[in-house]
Amino acid sequence: MSTEGQLFLGFDLSTQSLKCVVLDGALSIAHEESVVYTRDLPSYQTTDGFHKSGNVVTSPTTMWIEALDLLLDRLSKSVALSSVIGIGGCAQQHGTVYTSHSFLSTLSKLDADQPLLPQLGSLFAVPNSPIWMDGSTEELCKEMEISVGGADTLAALTGSKAHCRFSGHQIHKVIKSGIWEEVERVMLVSNFLCSLFTGIYSSPELSDASGMNLMNIKTREWDEHLCTLSGVDIRNKLGSPAPAIPEDPILVSRYMVERYSFSPTCAVSRFVGDNPATLIGLNLGKSDIALSLGTSDVVVRCGDDLTPSPDTHTFCHPLHPHTSYMQILCYKNASLTREELKTKYCKTGTWEEYGRIISETNTPLVSAYFPHPEILPFGVTGAYTSGDGDLWEHPASDIITSVTEGQFLSKSLHTSPPPSRLVVVGGASSNTPLLELISNAFSCPVYRNVTSNVAALGGAYLGVIAAGRQVPTNQGCWELVAQPDESRKGEWDRKREEYRGLEATFRD
């Protein structure tokens, strides 16, 4: 069958914006569109898309609906929406939406002559959705961990220890507020956005449901104990977790067909969280790793036998949810630590000088530096070296190089066996000497992502699969940027083992 003229849409409802990537029949990016909340919807008076009061952080649910109205209007003027045969998407993880009892009946019979907002805007039991930045549920987190016997037990059960931002604790907080009877349905932001396209309540997708502290990561079902901690069974208002790609096709709603001229046969995937969508957008294989270099460094990997721990987040794999997992490892001491060293020891204070130093310095020193309490290994602070003496007594070039090497030697040890390919994203992915160092630390080739909207691209790939096509395994928006120096393999193997011994002392 000819793919000429086919289009696919991928949406990403993030903290600061709603984005869409349009793919053509060759699965190349044909168009991109976005709505930035503070720029395009200033009436909500958000800061970067959210409201913050103390440790309570929310976003106006109606802002997301109005953003979709605006985005679809823009797309209809620049894209032949009647040629779209598949839609997929994602949203910020952990956020929750609470509809009132007339929401579904209204959603199923929307008037195509009107936008979504005036028809749905008043139908929320909780008008401001708690999002992933919220930190107001600490006591509820403690209660949940104690109820199952501790953080280790909860991580083994749900894939993660208790986190304030995770949806389960936000839901229990709403129950305790006394308005639970007013709630018709609780949704993650991902299946809420999907429901706006289908006209029915979309099921929570399995990989996104993994980030709630409510689902048994092994059985892929809601855990009865965790779902009844507040005295009511929240499973009745959640819907059952389901794969991103449904067995029977789900089609766009009559409203979308009549208002925006979508084809009535356009298929819709279930929407996933932004982290799983990034994994899909990077088209990672089971032996690949993604590394996001930012304020925190984040490693994403996938496999069939990953073991949950309190130090990691383990989710069902978005494309293989019944047989495989994805795991996220977060490191707090990342770019800010590197920047501290750059500011203190680089005479020009530039990343160019930093890159030159780590490229030209060949030091036997193995070290680690944690100015902030680390996540992995948990709670570690301070400066360490594998030999005698204080880290700060060494030459500046050795300090910069060994600490930077240590950051990525640690990551390589926590992602054993070595990946066959590592794909980097984030601001520091433009620093070629850093990427060469990472390639040596992991002993694998490094690729750089070359699209800025990788989560939306992952959503579009879901639309491709929902429409019955496959994404080729070599499809990807990345380029080869570094390969390990084979002449230094023995040196790096020694450093890796020396760092393993150093890290063992952190827990003593």
Side-chain angles (χ1 to χ4, degrees):
M1 185 180 77
S2 173
T3 60
E4 186 176 352
Q6 293 180 347
L7 294 176
F8 306 90
L9 303 185
F11 293 87
D12 174 20
L13 196 163
S14 68
T15 310
Q16 301 182 49
S17 63
L18 175 63
K19 298 179 284 287
C20 180
V21 164
V22 183
L23 300 184
D24 60 21
L27 306 189
S28 298
I29 296 176
H31 183 75
E32 296 181 69
E33 195 70 69
S34 67
V35 172
V36 179
Y37 308 136
T38 53
R39 180 192 68 200
D40 298 314
L41 299 171
S43 63
Y44 291 94
Q45 299 181 319
T46 64
T47 300
D48 296 327
F50 60 87
H51 293 138
K52 188 175 189 298
S53 177
N55 57 6
V56 175
V57 185
T58 62
S59 290
T61 313
T62 52
M63 179 181 71
W64 296 335
I65 295 178
E66 188 170 0
L68 182 58
D69 282 332
L70 183 55
L71 187 65
L72 288 173
D73 284 344
R74 291 177 178 176
L75 285 170
S76 67
K77 295 177 175 63
S78 54
V79 176
L81 295 180
S82 59
S83 298
V84 175
I85 67 169
I87 297 173
C90 67
Q92 53 183 288
Q93 288 198 261
H94 313 304
T96 42
V97 174
Y98 304 81
T99 63
S100 64
H101 286 284
S102 53
F103 186 90
L104 180 59
S105 61
T106 304
L107 181 67
S108 64
K109 57 178 188 296
L110 291 169
D111 180 356
D113 291 329
Q114 296 186 60
L116 293 168
L117 181 63
Q119 302 184 76
L120 298 174
S122 63
L123 304 179
F124 295 96
V126 179
N128 294 298
S129 291
I131 64 169
W132 65 275
M133 299 170 70
D134 186 275
S136 65
T137 60
E138 185 175 353
E139 290 304 315
L140 293 169
C141 290
K142 292 177 182 177
E143 289 178 16
M144 181 176 286
E145 288 188 344
I146 291 171
S147 76
V148 297
D152 287 2
T153 305
L154 186 64
L157 178 61
T158 70
S160 301
K161 68 178 182 180
H163 292 274
C164 290
R165 65 184 181 275
F166 273 38
S167 321
H169 314 291
Q170 301 294 338
I171 296 170
H172 286 302
K173 179 182 174 182
V174 169
I175 293 172
K176 291 177 181 294
S177 73
I179 64 166
W180 186 247
E181 292 303 317
E182 301 173 24
V183 176
E184 178 178 85
R185 185 82 159 201
V186 182
M187 290 184 282
L188 296 169
V189 184
S190 58
N191 58 310
F192 167 67
L193 180 61
C194 184
S195 299
L196 298 179
F197 283 96
T198 61
I200 58 175
Y201 278 141
S202 173
S203 298
E205 183 275 330
L206 279 164
S207 66
D208 209 8
S210 306
M212 299 178 73
N213 280 145
L214 292 178
M215 191 184 79
N216 185 310
I217 197 71
K218 300 297 184 183
T219 66
R220 280 81 167 171
E221 295 177 350
W222 302 127
D223 181 84
E224 180 178 359
H225 169 73
L226 299 177
C227 288
T228 56
L229 278 177
S230 295
V232 298
D233 193 341
I234 62 179
R235 292 176 295 179
N236 300 326
K237 298 185 179 183
L238 282 174
S240 298
I245 305 302
E247 291 186 10
D248 299 317
I250 299 173
L251 305 179
V252 292
S253 66
R254 173 195 54 80
Y255 173 85
M256 289 292 170
V257 172
E258 294 179 1
R259 183 168 178 83
Y260 295 107
S261 300
F262 282 102
S263 166
T265 60
C266 176
V268 183
S269 78
R270 295 186 179 97
F271 288 13
V272 303
D274 53 0
N275 287 309
T278 297
L279 183 148
I280 298 170
L282 292 174
N283 205 4
L284 295 184
K286 290 184 179 180
S287 61
D288 299 335
I289 281 178
L291 172 60
S292 176
L293 300 169
T295 304
S296 60
D297 286 343
V298 179
V299 175
V300 181
R301 62 176 178 170
C302 45
D304 295 341
D305 56 356
L306 300 179
T307 302
S309 82
D311 295 331
T312 64
H313 302 308
T314 303
F315 303 150
C316 294
H317 193 290
L319 295 181
H320 313 288
H322 294 296
T323 59
S324 191
Y325 299 94
M326 63 174 287
Q327 195 166 67
I328 299 175
L329 296 79
C330 297
Y331 297 82
K332 183 183 294 185
N333 293 277
S335 70
L336 294 181
T337 302
R338 297 189 285 269
E339 186 162 354
E340 178 185 324
L341 298 176
K342 171 180 70 71
T343 302
K344 185 174 182 179
Y345 293 111
C346 294
K347 294 178 180 178
T348 62
T350 64
W351 287 115
E352 288 77 15
E353 183 181 357
Y354 187 97
R356 179 185 59 77
I357 289 173
I358 63 174
S359 178
E360 296 177 356
T361 303
N362 188 356
T363 176
L365 180 65
V366 173
S367 72
Y369 173 46
F370 308 100
H372 309 286
E374 188 50 87
I375 299 172
L376 183 62
F378 182 74
V380 178
T381 59
Y384 303 82
T385 66
S386 60
D388 296 329
D390 189 283
L391 172 63
W392 312 117
E393 296 174 350
H394 290 269
S397 59
D398 285 11
I399 294 172
I400 290 174
T401 303
S402 67
V403 169
T404 306
E405 289 177 349
Q407 287 185 333
F408 297 100
L409 288 170
S410 174
K411 295 174 179 62
S412 74
L413 291 173
H414 289 281
T415 53
S416 183
S420 59
R421 178 174 57 184
L422 190 151
V423 182
V424 293
V425 299
S429 63
S430 61
N431 190 321
T432 300
L434 180 63
L435 302 186
E436 292 171 345
L437 182 153
I438 292 170
S439 181
N440 283 316
F442 278 88
S443 190
C444 74
V446 171
Y447 294 76
R448 176 165 48 210
N449 173 60
V450 293
T451 180
S452 58
N453 292 327
V454 66
L457 177 62
Y461 285 164
L462 282 174
V464 171
I465 300 169
R469 288 185 56 184
Q470 295 299 313
V471 179
T473 55
N474 63 349
Q475 183 84 20
C477 292
W478 22 253
E479 59 184 355
L480 178 65
V481 289
Q483 296 200 69
D485 183 347
E486 291 299 325
S487 68
R488 297 182 62 193
K489 184 178 185 303
E491 174 190 339
W492 279 96
D493 287 347
R494 176 193 64 78
K495 285 186 175 182
R496 195 174 296 108
E497 289 309 307
E498 201 165 328
Y499 192 92
R500 188 193 305 276
L502 178 64
E503 190 166 282
T505 67
F506 299 163
R507 300 183 186 275
D508 292 344

